[in-house]
Amino acid sequence: MRKGYRSNLDTKAALDQAISHHQKGKLRPAELIYKNILESQPRNAEVLHLLGLLAWQKNQCEAAIDLIKQATRIKPENSLFLRDLARFLHDTGCLNQAIQIYQQALKVVPEDSAIGRELVSVLYQAEEPDEVLQVLQHIVDTNPSDTVSHIELGNFLQSAGRFEEAIRVYQKAISIDSNAYEAYNNLSVALCKTARFDQAIQACQKAIHIFPNYYEVYVNLGNIYEAVKQFGQAVESYQKAIRINSEVAGVHFSLGNVLKELGRHEEAIQAYQRVFLLNPDYAEAHYNHGVVLQDQGKFNQAVESYQAAIRINPDYAQAYNNYGFILHKQGKFHEAIHQYRHAIDLDPTIAQAHTNLGIALLLTGHFKKGWQEYEWRLKTELYQPYARNLPQPRWHGCDLKNKTILVWAEQGIGDQIMFVNVFHLLAQKAQRIMVEIEPRLVSVFQRSFPDIIFFPQLDPPDSRVLDHSIDYQIPIASLAQHFLNTESSFPKRKSYLVPCSEKKRQFRHRYQKIADGRLLVGISWKGGNREKESRTIPLEQWADLLAADNCCFINLQYGNVTEEIGEFSAATGVSIHCDNQVDSSQDLDVFFAQVAAMDLVVSIANSTAHIAGSLGKSALISLPYVPDWRWMIDRADSLWYPEITLFRQKREGDWSKALQEVAVALAQFTLTRGNC
């Protein structure tokens, strides 16, 4: 091979031959020719560039970069040389140098959107968002009719949370190309972020009209429907996405979630199982699978799902919380407490775990710490219907001398009746107490505590609630942490609520005529909350107890159960008296008087039990295997209501033993009363 070339013609022929070798992968002969040319033409930029590319192919990175740098010094306006140099610098981790070279190339060819996009990619990696925006805006400005550039700018603005700007850019892209289905889809996401859900749905539908098999838009449409809780439409959208592409675990997960919300548990389980086939390590799917199984009462299977989620993600705090909840439901309270604490260690802000821990501690008699943890209920999602935004500061136990405190109701009627038991203690501290309470309780509470001001909890609220002259406010259940931190601190009063004496007298007079010398026994057998069906004892299971000849049973069941009682009486021949003059769902003052007229109350743990307890009425109360926290564990008495006797299930779902014990206690009560 000659060491020099006599003419440009010779050089061109040699270079063509070298390029041919290079393209065919014959790197060694190509390299020899390139170097031979450079001996006679050391400033041949094209050959330096080609030799640099060859060196890069041979993994000689430093040499490649040096050669292309030489080429760019000779021809600094050659955008191809600059672009390759920037790429090599980027690939070797020299981000700042790569950015500088890309910027230099973009100055040479400002309209080259490909160079601009590569620069954007490096700027993203270098975490330079301001520069990214500048380059994207530059690309749009130099390519004003390029739809893709507008979409990319819109995507960046959206990722930066600048949704209104993103919307305008997407709309500009659509004005350039009315068939830009991707712009419609991304526009819908931005509209959703600004809560313009109807417009977002319309944008999705336009994208679908243009491109009916657009997988991403069906997923996005499903997300929007899910956000607005239109779960049926969300199901349809996710299913359409799956018909287009069934191999994406995430959309099966989303489908399972909306089916779960619809209560279509078996279908949700099938969707999650499809997720596991595609991605066995999808921790969130295992967790939600556990939630569905838990809702079905399949606790052992739910535990397996939570444990799977924890194996995949040992820091999955919510999975530990739910695992603890199932242990709690199984009566394994100390193990549940351990899991709740583990969840809190992982995520100290997880309100439901704190609340669950508080409930478990109260159930097991650890009052001081239990009340502290129970305060977290105020931050849980389930509590939000009770949440209040009041102008007064919260009372945390400071001196109330010459002060006014507002107590506001929360949770159910039973809770309000129970916690009002501490009002006499609060009255010893505060000059004036104002109480916003369930409207149906105002009359009986006012009669019982004449020195306290009671008014109904309304929507919108009574103007007195917003009175800035009130010094402090507190939710009613939070009073307990200031007064009931030990077992001995619980009030020992037999009764604390006072029924209307005239109404009570009228009820008792009327019922005694019906009873004809028999004891008046009020009966209530189910809870009013579908989520607490474990408290319900089907009426037919009471048949033996209700057959007691020396008792006249009066219906104290909340709600309209006339038909149920009629069917029971027809089947058993056992009579339960229903008083059509009492509507406990509307007039609680009348209901209190009716309960007060009884000699004895026999009930499950519902509002009737609370009313009987607050009136000091003797009551036999049946509890499920895992009782509500207020009834605690392993005791026959109640700290809240001294006249109540508790009877507990020995096995989940089996009331037979408890009812036998209630029947014995009833017989003993009637015998004692009969001897009086």
Side-chain angles (χ1 to χ4, degrees):
M1 183 70 69
R2 293 172 297 173
K3 293 186 178 181
Y5 294 91
R6 291 186 298 272
S7 67
N8 289 335
L9 186 61
D10 289 340
T11 301
K12 183 179 183 306
L15 183 57
D16 287 344
Q17 184 182 17
I19 291 173
S20 177
H21 286 315
H22 196 162
Q23 290 173 339
K24 293 176 181 179
K26 299 177 180 180
L27 301 186
R28 180 58 181 164
E31 181 181 15
L32 291 173
I33 296 173
Y34 290 148
K35 288 181 176 179
N36 203 9
I37 294 173
L38 287 174
E39 286 184 9
S40 58
Q41 300 179 21
R43 290 182 57 79
N44 189 319
E46 286 76 10
V47 175
L48 287 167
H49 173 247
L50 289 168
L51 189 56
L53 296 180
L54 190 148
W56 186 263
Q57 287 177 270
K58 294 174 65 177
N59 204 30
Q60 297 170 356
C61 301
E62 291 185 12
I65 290 171
D66 180 66
L67 287 163
I68 297 180
K69 279 183 176 179
Q70 293 180 52
T72 59
R73 283 194 288 269
I74 296 166
K75 290 191 174 181
E77 300 299 312
N78 189 306
S79 62
L80 176 61
F81 298 172
L82 293 168
R83 186 178 182 184
D84 283 340
L85 176 58
R87 286 174 173 172
F88 293 170
L89 289 167
H90 175 218
D91 288 347
T92 54
C94 303
L95 298 185
N96 291 332
Q97 294 181 52
I99 289 169
Q100 293 174 2
I101 301 301
Y102 272 127
Q103 289 170 335
Q104 185 179 338
L106 202 56
K107 288 180 181 178
V108 173
V109 280
E111 72 285 354
D112 192 327
S113 58
I115 292 175
R117 290 189 178 100
E118 290 182 20
L119 173 56
V120 164
S121 177
V122 181
L123 288 168
Y124 268 123
Q125 190 175 347
E127 298 181 355
E128 299 287 353
D130 293 339
E131 287 77 3
V132 169
L133 179 58
Q134 290 178 12
V135 177
L136 288 172
Q137 189 64 60
H138 168 84
I139 295 171
V140 166
D141 292 342
T142 54
N143 298 270
S145 61
D146 183 0
T147 306
V148 173
S149 299
H150 283 83
I151 293 173
E152 290 172 342
L153 175 58
N155 293 347
F156 173 82
L157 291 167
Q158 182 158 209
S159 68
R162 297 164 65 169
F163 301 117
E164 293 297 341
E165 295 171 78
I167 288 169
R168 289 193 291 271
V169 173
Y170 290 136
Q171 289 171 334
K172 177 63 177 177
I174 291 167
S175 70
I176 297 169
D177 180 1
S178 60
N179 290 321
Y181 55 83
E182 185 179 355
Y184 277 115
N185 180 56
N186 295 4
L187 171 62
S188 73
V189 176
L191 289 167
C192 186
K193 293 291 187 180
T194 58
R196 284 131 77 173
F197 299 111
D198 289 341
Q199 294 179 49
I201 291 170
Q202 291 173 9
C204 285
Q205 291 169 339
K206 288 180 179 178
I208 290 169
H209 179 74
I210 298 166
F211 185 11
N213 289 322
Y214 188 11
Y215 168 82
E216 287 80 3
V217 76
Y218 286 113
V219 174
N220 184 31
L221 184 57
N223 293 340
I224 297 168
Y225 280 131
E226 185 175 357
V228 297
K229 299 188 183 306
Q230 295 182 27
F231 299 122
Q233 292 93 325
V235 167
E236 293 179 8
S237 298
Y238 290 138
Q239 287 174 335
K240 288 177 180 177
I242 289 169
R243 282 196 287 271
I244 297 169
N245 182 358
S246 63
E247 300 303 311
V248 180
V251 71
H252 290 281
F253 175 67
S254 296
L255 175 60
N257 294 344
V258 292
L259 289 167
K260 174 171 69 72
E261 293 294 336
L262 289 168
R264 292 159 62 175
H265 292 148
E266 292 303 327
E267 294 174 81
I269 287 172
Q270 291 175 11
Y272 293 135
Q273 288 173 340
R274 180 62 182 169
V275 174
F276 304 146
L277 291 174
L278 295 168
N279 182 2
D281 293 333
Y282 204 132
E284 292 81 2
H286 284 285
Y287 171 79
N288 282 10
H289 185 241
V291 172
V292 174
L293 292 167
Q294 179 177 315
D295 287 345
Q296 292 181 308
K298 299 176 180 177
F299 292 148
N300 291 334
Q301 293 172 258
V303 164
E304 292 176 3
S305 292
Y306 293 141
Q307 289 174 334
I310 290 167
R311 280 196 300 272
I312 297 163
N313 178 9
D315 295 332
Y316 205 149
Q318 190 60 59
Y320 285 104
N321 174 58
N322 282 32
Y323 183 19
F325 180 79
I326 290 180
L327 290 169
H328 186 127
K329 294 291 286 183
Q330 293 174 331
K332 301 173 182 177
F333 306 119
H334 296 292
E335 294 176 54
I337 287 170
H338 175 75
Q339 297 301 328
Y340 295 146
R341 283 179 167 150
H342 196 160
I344 293 166
D345 288 342
L346 291 170
D347 181 2
T349 69
I350 185 167
Q352 193 59 61
H354 282 283
T355 304
N356 289 346
L357 175 59
I359 289 170
L361 290 171
L362 292 171
L363 181 71
T364 53
H366 299 86
F367 297 110
K368 186 175 181 61
K369 182 61 175 175
W371 293 127
Q372 292 173 5
E373 295 292 343
Y374 190 57
E375 281 299 289
W376 281 81
R377 75 191 183 282
L378 304 171
K379 298 182 180 181
T380 63
E381 183 178 348
L382 291 175
Y383 188 84
Q384 293 316 300
Y386 306 111
R388 310 299 301 278
N389 183 20
L390 300 176
Q392 306 89 359
R394 169 73 182 272
W395 183 55
H396 291 290
C398 64
D399 186 9
L400 290 175
K401 186 178 180 180
N402 300 322
K403 302 293 184 181
T404 298
I405 185 169
L406 168 68
V407 181
W408 48 276
E410 55 171 311
Q411 305 181 58
I413 288 173
D415 296 272
Q416 295 175 43
I417 292 171
M418 186 179 76
F419 285 113
V420 78
N421 196 2
V422 301
F423 275 16
H424 73 288
L425 298 174
L426 181 64
Q428 296 171 16
K429 290 180 171 289
Q431 180 183 26
R432 188 168 71 135
I433 302 171
M434 302 176 67
V435 182
E436 183 198 40
I437 206 74
E438 150 68 51
R440 293 171 296 168
L441 291 171
V442 170
S443 58
V444 67
F445 280 15
Q446 190 65 76
R447 183 187 306 114
S448 307
F449 298 92
D451 295 330
I452 295 176
I453 301 169
F454 292 90
F455 50 91
Q457 192 172 66
L458 304 172
D459 186 17
D462 188 296
S463 59
R464 285 173 285 186
V465 174
L466 306 176
D467 186 351
H468 286 268
S469 68
I470 296 172
D471 298 290
Y472 298 102
Q473 55 84 16
I474 189 171
I476 192 168
S478 294
L479 289 171
Q481 67 176 311
H482 301 294
F483 298 104
L484 306 178
N485 285 313
T486 63
E487 182 171 328
S488 61
S489 64
F490 278 74
K492 302 301 187 292
R493 297 183 301 163
K494 179 178 178 180
S495 65
Y496 56 90
L497 294 183
V498 180
C500 173
S501 58
E502 179 57 25
K503 290 175 183 176
K504 173 186 174 181
R505 186 194 65 78
Q506 291 174 0
F507 276 122
R508 189 157 181 83
H509 178 71
R510 191 164 72 250
Y511 293 158
Q512 283 178 329
K513 286 184 178 181
I514 298 170
D516 191 23
R518 293 174 295 167
L519 292 179
L520 299 177
V521 180
I523 180 75
S524 179
W525 59 94
K526 60 184 177 181
N529 188 329
R530 186 179 65 83
E531 295 180 357
K532 295 183 177 180
E533 290 178 350
S534 63
R535 297 182 306 170
T536 295
I537 306 177
L539 196 51
E540 57 268 20
Q541 294 188 31
W542 295 84
D544 291 343
L545 185 147
L546 295 174
D549 292 334
N550 50 357
C551 297
C552 176
F553 291 98
I554 309 294
N555 170 38
L556 298 182
Q557 180 56 52
Y558 190 87
N560 186 355
V561 292
T562 303
E563 183 177 347
E564 183 180 356
I565 290 175
E567 293 174 354
F568 170 76
S569 297
T572 63
V574 175
S575 175
I576 301 175
H577 178 70
C578 287
D579 192 335
N580 295 327
Q581 297 182 32
V582 179
D583 184 351
S584 56
S585 65
Q586 297 299 318
D587 194 335
L588 282 178
D589 199 41
V590 168
F591 189 42
F592 268 87
Q594 184 189 30
V595 174
M598 300 297 109
D599 294 307
L600 176 71
V601 171
V602 178
S603 178
I604 52 88
N606 59 8
S607 57
T608 301
H610 288 285
I611 291 171
S614 69
L615 295 171
K617 187 61 57 180
S618 295
L620 311 177
I621 306 301
S622 297
L623 301 176
Y625 180 69
V626 177
D628 201 21
W629 61 267
R630 71 201 74 235
W631 307 116
M632 304 179 67
I633 57 174
D634 300 330
R635 60 190 306 157
D637 65 329
S638 166
L639 292 180
W640 300 93
Y641 308 118
E643 295 302 305
I644 277 181
T645 304
L646 304 175
F647 300 87
R648 300 173 182 272
Q649 268 187 346
K650 304 303 185 288
R651 291 187 305 162
E652 181 74 33
D654 182 4
W655 288 105
S656 58
K657 184 64 174 176
L659 287 177
Q660 289 172 13
E661 293 175 350
V662 172
V664 171
L666 175 61
Q668 291 174 342
F669 182 87
T670 56
L671 181 62
T672 302
R673 282 299 184 93
N675 293 331
C676 291

